[in-house]
C-alpha cells in the first residue's frame, strides 16, 4: 500500500513538472514572439511538445533529489533562446520575456489551489494531486525569480540595475548555476526558498 502511494505520488509530481515547465517555457517563447523576436519559434521552442523543453538533469533528476532533501522540488528547463536585438523595448522587453515564465507558474498555482480547495472534495485524489501541482508551481515561481544568472529573476533585475551591477551579472553568468546550487545546498538558501514557498502558498485560495 505504501509503495503504491509513493509511486502514485511520484507520477503526479512528474506529470506536474512536465505540464508546468512546458507552459513556463512556452510563455517565454510566446512573449518573445509577441515582442518581435522569432528566435524561439525558429528553433522549435514555440511548442507545447515536452520533448522540446526538457533537460534530463535540470528537469528530471534535480527536482527528485531536492524533493527528498528539502521536501520542495527545485528545477528548471532548457532555457528558451532569444535575440535582444530583435526584442521590442530593449532590456525591458527582455525582462518581460523572462517574467512571463515564472508568472505563468504563479497563475497555474492559483488555478490548482482554487480547484483543490473549492471544487474537489477535500482529501480526494484529485484534490491532493492539484495541491501537489500548486505547490510545485509555487516552487517554480520562487526558484526562477532568484536574481542570479541564468535564472529569470536575473534578467528582470538586469533591466533595472545600474551598469556596475549589470557588468557583475555578466561576469558571473557562466558560473551562475554552480553559485545557485552552492547557495541552496550549503549556505542555508534551501531553507530560505522553503520559507518563501510557504509564504506564497499561504496567499493562495
Amino acid at each position: 500500500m505504501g509503495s503504491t502511494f509513493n509511486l502514485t505520488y511520484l507520477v503526479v509530481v512528474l506529470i506536474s513538472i512536465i505540464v508546468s515547465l512546458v507552459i513556463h517555457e512556452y510563455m517565454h517563447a510566446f512573449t518573445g514572439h509577441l515582442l518581435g523576436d522569432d528566435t524561439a519559434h525558429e528553433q522549435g521552442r514555440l511548442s507545447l511538445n515536452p520533448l522540446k523543453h526538457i533537460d534530463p538533469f535540470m528537469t528530471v533528476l534535480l527536482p527528485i533529489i531536492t524533493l527528498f532533501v528539502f521536501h520542495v522540488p527545485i528545477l528548471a528547463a532548457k532555457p528558451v533562446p532569444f535575440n535582444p536585438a530583435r526584442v521590442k523595448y530593449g532590456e525591458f522587453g527582455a525582462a518581460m520575456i523572462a517574467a512571463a515564465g515564472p508568472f505563468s507558474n504563479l497563475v497555474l498555482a492559483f488555478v490548482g489551489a482554487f480547484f483543490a480547495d473549492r471544487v474537489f472534495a477535500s482529501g480526494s485524489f484529485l484534490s491532493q494531486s492539484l495541491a501537489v501541482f500548486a505547490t510545485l508551481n509555487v516552487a517554480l515561481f520562487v526558484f526562477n525569480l532568484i536574481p542570479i544568472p541564468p535564472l529569470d529573476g536575473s534578467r528582470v533585475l538586469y533591466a533595472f540595475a545600474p551598469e556596475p551591477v549589470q557588468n557583475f551579472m555578466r561576469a558571473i553568468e557562466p558560473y551562475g548555476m554552480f553559485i545557485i546550487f552552492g547557495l541552496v545546498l550549503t549556505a542555508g538558501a534551501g531553507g530560505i526558498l522553503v520559507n518563501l514557498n510557504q509564504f506564497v502558498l499561504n496567499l493562495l485560495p
Side-chain angles (χ1 to χ4, degrees), residues 106 109-110 138 141-142 195-204:
L106 185 61
F110 268 94
V138 167
F141 170 72
V142 170
N195 291 335
L196 286 173
N197 288 345
Q198 191 57 54
F199 175 77
V200 177
L201 282 169
N202 290 340
L203 299 177
L204 298 181

Side-chain angles (χ1 to χ4, degrees), residues 17 45-46 61 74 83 116 182 191 201:
I17 286 172
R45 300 297 300 278
L46 188 59
L61 186 59
I74 296 172
N83 184 344
L201 282 169

Side-chain angles (χ1 to χ4, degrees), residues 56-140:
F57 175 74
M58 295 290 293
T59 312
V60 180
L61 186 59
L62 180 64
I64 293 174
I65 293 172
T66 55
L67 184 65
F68 285 104
V69 174
F70 299 118
H71 306 294
V72 173
I74 296 172
L75 65 156
K78 193 187 305 179
V80 167
F82 78 101
N83 184 344
R86 293 183 179 182
V87 177
K88 295 177 183 177
Y89 315 123
E91 287 297 339
F92 297 103
M96 292 168 64
I97 294 172
F103 279 95
S104 72
N105 294 121
L106 185 61
V107 171
L108 290 174
F110 268 94
V111 172
F114 176 84
F115 277 87
D117 188 57
R118 307 289 175 84
V119 176
F120 297 109
S122 177
S124 67
F125 173 74
L126 284 174
S127 177
Q128 292 180 340
S129 297
L130 285 168
V132 170
F133 180 75
T135 300
L136 186 136
N137 273 281
V138 167
L140 274 171

Side-chain angles (χ1 to χ4, degrees), residues 70 184 188-196:
F70 299 118
V184 169
I192 294 172
L193 288 176
V194 170
N195 291 335
L196 286 173

